[in-house]
Amino acid sequence: MEFTFLVLVVLIAWLHRRHSDRLRQLELKTADPSQRLEALEQQVRDLRDQLSGTTAGSEPAEERTAPAAPRPRPPLATARRPLDPPILTVRSVASAEPTEPAVAAPASATARPWTDRLSAARPAAARPAAAPKIPNQRWTQLQRQLVENWTGILGSAVLVAGITFIGGYTGLRLSPFYRTLMIVAAAAVLAGGGVLLDRRVEWKLLAQWLKSSGAAVFLFACFGASAVPGLSWIRDLTMALAVLLVGVAVNLIVAFRARSEPFASLHVVLSLVPLALIPQSELTLVLATLVAAAGVSLSFRERWDVHTLVTLGCFIVFQAAWYTRVFEPAPTMQGRLLGILTTLVIGTLAALTHYRASHSGERLKPLPWITHLASWSLLGAGLALYHVGNTPFRGVALIGAGVTVFLLARRGRALGIRWLYLTDTLVGQALVTVGVISFYPFVSNWLLIPFLVLLQCGLYLRVVLDENEEFLIKVGAYLVHLAALALGVCGVIAYQSEGNQPTEAAAILLGGGALAAVIHLFLANRRGERFDSVELYGGAASVHPASLLGVLAGLISVVGLANLDGLRSMIPVAFGAATILVLLSRIGPSAGLAVATVLVLLLAHFWSWFILFDQHPLPVLEQLRWHLGPLLLADTVAIGLVLGDGAARVLRQTAIYLGGLSIAAAAYTLLQPISSLAPSVAWLVLSLVALELAGRVRRPYAGAVLHLGFLALLCFGAGYTLVVLQAQAYLGPVPVRLLIEALALGVGAYWWVYRPSESLAEVRSWRVVHPLFLELALAFLAVVIAVEMPAQWRPLAWAALALICIAGPLDVALDPRFRFYSLVFFWASIGDLVAVTSTLAVPTRDWYQRPGFSGGLTILLQVAFLAFGSPRLQLAEIKFPPGLSGLSRLATRIGHRQALWLYYPFFIGVALFLYWRFSSAVLTLLWVMEAFVVFALSLALRESHFRYMALAGLGACMIRLIVFDMAEANLGMRGLVFVGVGGLMLGMHSLYNRYKSRFA
């Protein structure tokens, strides 16, 4: 027990070290005027001695004997400074600046010769004046308090311990009553000594410690009379409590009459300690509350924030001990109400200590702010801890307290205490939020709690917007964002939890999304949408800022729709949610709500498409009623009703894309059960519809419609590859596949020849993709030929296509690129002739079905191409689109050596075709005929390399004639070959002699 009192005394005195200055000032004011005058004269004498010594060390020798100039008397204010026995602080007479404290020299120092004093003073005079250092004020004050009060603190502790030891010693020989009486007598002696010493100024501080020690000893005696073994002589509980209350009352009186904060805090704490040590009941809580209230009330007299904080801390410790010892083992309604009432009284009383005019205009300081928060924390903890059974009373009490604190903050603003106004506004908001959350056990669906929190945060933001306090407005925006995000996260948790009620959860979440949208519109109307964007959190500024709360409204709605997974009503509800968001965005217009609508539309469309394809096929009416119909209506509303630019443009474009995709999906889900070929035909038609619409809408949206046309063509390509190519259906004698291919070629040709409007022509994708439709159409035509044409007729088709491409109407009127592609088809004809037709075996007796016949026709068409198309190619003039720039370089290269790229493939291909297709008996004759043609061509084109090629081929034929044909068994065939070869050689000779001038 002695150690407990010692620790309490040291702790409280150390916490309140700064306030002993006030007591010393009071002592100075009550001092005798003669004593103050005497002290003043002593200061002046010491100052003169110090100044004369310094002057003697710095002046020349001839000026040392000069009489000192008269100095004015120091002002009276100097004499009123507090006196410190060990340290004497002087102020310069000639200057108003404070000087360093001068310590009185000991007697031995005055006996030194003046030369020693001169040598000691000279370095100080020679040193330049250094910049004054500002010491740590708190550390300086702590040192000063310890120096001034350590004797009182330690002395009181030692005195109390000594009395305790003496009481213990004498207690061995006295009864408990006389032991207690002896301690009371000791307390009276201490208190009496304090009263006697209080009359002398120099002993006032010691007197205060003595009176304080006496009160503490008396409280110990009152407590020990019933609770301490060896001192206990009271057996009646009522009398014991009455005696203890006498000791508590004495300590409270001492605390009330204390002139400094440490003594007041010490005796309030001492008054609470015995109440916490005795057996607990509801009465002890009431008494502790009265003691704490008395202690807190002292702060209304002085600005004692530390005292208030210490009192609150002790009362909180007492409350925790009472809760665990009395209330928690056997909670009662009376105990709940008492706990609420006590915390309400102390918390409110402590908070009201700052609502005084003396605090007006002061800035935020850590200690008052911490004390104020501790006050409201005590109140909130009491209301939350002592809930009144299974009733919503706790929530109502917290909300009521929050509203009261919120309104009280307006009083702080009227007083000009800004930090108090801001703090209590936020505290009130926090209490109301906790109150709303405490209604959790009493709601049908727990998602109502985050919904109500969002509503409450929105109302708070509405109130602070009217007060135009920037800090509170930003905090309100943060809280609304946090509440909206929490509602969305709770919706995700509800979606994943078992036993979820999807309809109720979706209704609450969709209502929360609408509520967030309304709060966003109000905030955007008052502060602009930029305030609610990422710039609120320090993000980069944008041209079209989007509200974060608007986006969160969309996310909450998306989560609400996800809770309807598996229900038919999901997509119609999504249509309703998107429509409401679009209509709300028209009020702004709002970029945030436009983004929210995009999120809702994306979820609804993707989810609906997944259901349609996962459960395909579905009845047509069900698709239209629960999927395609609501989706297309939502897209139409978004396209036609949304206003604004930026995010609104993105919403319209998104709706266009989603609507086009829904129609493309409908073409499959609705038509595929009827015919597997029908979706491909529908996609071709949809591509033309998209093309026509793209040419008629405005520029920002023409690109989106055009892309839908491209998408329809891609869908047809996939359908053609996967379905149409395998189809064996006929429409009469005509294959349906051939009709679809013809339609596709017509659609591709229409895309290529389409002349765009001005807005469509400016779309980048049109400028890039549209020129490539020629290549796409020719490639598809090549695929059709490869699929539909028999193998022996394909080379003939390639040759015919090459002639068509080189014809005048195509390469002149339409596009010069036909010339290059005619050469490509010519090469394809040669390659197919050599690789397929030359070795193809067709089991037929019809001569016109044999590969030799089709090969001969192919060679004739190839010769016609060479004769007709060679002068018209002019490939160096062709310009290709940017995506095919490599073909431009190839065409230029071919144009420079056209004969090499055109004739050599033909002659090589014919030679190989003849080799693989005809009998070896006539092969030499056929090759000589080819060599004769090459030789004649060299004369016509005046190209020497053809002549060399012809002669080389003729030489090879001669070798074959001698080596192979001489061994031929059939003399008639041998003679025919020799005659033919000889005649051709004579013809070549005649031609050379006739036109040899061309080779000169």
Side-chain angles (χ1 to χ4, degrees), residues 128 223 406 500 968:
F223 173 72
F406 189 88
N500 180 37
E968 180 64 35

Side-chain angles (χ1 to χ4, degrees), residues 146-506:
L146 290 176
V147 169
E148 294 178 353
N149 297 322
W150 73 272
T151 54
I153 296 172
L154 187 59
S156 298
V158 171
L159 188 60
V160 171
I163 293 173
T164 304
F165 291 148
I166 294 174
Y169 173 76
T170 57
L172 299 175
R173 296 173 176 79
L174 298 176
S175 64
F177 174 78
Y178 289 106
R179 298 170 191 167
T180 304
L181 190 62
M182 183 186 65
I183 296 175
V184 171
V189 170
L190 291 175
V195 171
L196 293 176
L197 293 177
D198 196 32
R199 300 175 182 178
R200 303 291 298 272
V201 175
E202 62 273 18
W203 299 106
K204 279 188 175 295
L205 185 59
L206 178 60
Q208 183 67 38
W209 282 112
L210 290 176
K211 289 187 287 185
S212 177
S213 301
V217 172
F218 179 72
L219 179 61
F220 173 73
C222 295
F223 173 72
S226 60
V228 177
L231 297 178
S232 177
W233 56 272
I234 300 177
R235 300 293 180 265
D236 183 65
L237 295 179
T238 304
M239 183 179 179
L241 186 60
V243 172
L244 179 61
L245 291 180
V246 172
V248 171
V250 170
N251 276 266
L252 290 179
I253 292 173
V254 173
F256 180 77
R257 299 188 61 183
R259 289 167 290 184
S260 63
E261 189 174 4
F263 292 104
S265 301
L266 171 64
H267 289 283
V268 170
V269 173
L270 291 177
S271 301
L272 287 173
V273 169
L275 291 176
L277 297 177
I278 63 176
Q280 296 297 300
S281 65
E282 295 176 353
L283 180 59
T284 57
L285 179 60
V286 173
L287 294 176
T289 303
L290 294 176
V291 171
V296 172
S297 63
L298 297 179
S299 297
F300 287 93
R301 184 180 62 185
E302 300 286 346
R303 297 181 58 174
W304 288 354
D305 290 310
V306 174
H307 168 73
T308 305
L309 188 59
V310 170
T311 305
L312 285 174
C314 293
F315 183 73
I316 290 173
V317 172
F318 184 91
Q319 276 277 357
W322 186 87
Y323 183 86
T324 56
R325 294 167 60 185
V326 177
F327 179 79
E328 191 175 23
T332 62
M333 180 61 68
Q334 185 176 354
R336 291 188 177 96
L337 295 176
L338 185 61
I340 292 174
L341 181 62
T342 54
T343 54
L344 181 65
V345 169
I346 300 302
T348 304
L349 188 64
L352 290 177
T353 58
H354 296 102
Y355 280 92
R356 291 181 291 167
S358 60
H359 291 267
S360 299
E362 71 175 14
R363 302 181 64 182
L364 175 64
K365 297 179 181 179
L367 185 58
W369 185 70
I370 294 174
T371 305
H372 200 74
L373 285 183
S375 305
W376 293 131
S377 300
L378 173 63
L379 185 148
L383 293 177
L385 194 63
Y386 297 103
H387 57 90
V388 184
N390 191 22
T391 65
F393 175 80
R394 175 172 56 181
V396 174
L398 284 169
I399 293 176
V403 172
T404 303
V405 174
F406 189 88
L407 296 176
L408 187 62
R410 272 64 240 156
R411 173 62 180 168
R413 188 181 191 185
L415 291 174
I417 313 174
R418 186 173 182 271
W419 70 268
L420 193 62
Y421 159 64
L422 298 178
T423 301
D424 282 359
T425 300
L426 297 178
V427 168
Q429 162 70 3
L431 289 174
V432 173
T433 302
V434 175
V436 171
I437 296 174
S438 66
F439 284 111
Y440 169 78
F442 311 105
V443 295
S444 60
N445 193 306
W446 68 277
L447 286 176
L448 284 172
I449 297 301
F451 174 84
L452 293 175
V453 170
L454 176 60
L455 176 61
Q456 184 266 328
C457 292
L459 294 176
Y460 165 79
L461 183 60
R462 169 68 177 81
V463 173
V464 297
L465 277 172
D466 292 337
E467 298 181 357
N468 200 25
E469 178 62 46
E470 195 66 25
F471 174 75
L472 293 179
I473 292 174
K474 287 187 176 181
V475 172
Y478 298 151
L479 292 177
V480 169
H481 290 167
L482 184 61
L485 184 61
L487 179 58
V489 173
C490 292
V492 175
I493 296 174
Y495 172 72
Q496 296 177 345
S497 62
E498 297 181 0
N500 180 37
Q501 300 175 356
T503 305
E504 291 185 7

Side-chain angles (χ1 to χ4, degrees), residues 668 671-680 719 723-724 727:
Y668 176 81
L671 299 178
Q672 196 273 340
I674 300 174
S675 173
S676 60
L677 300 177
S680 299
V723 180
V724 177

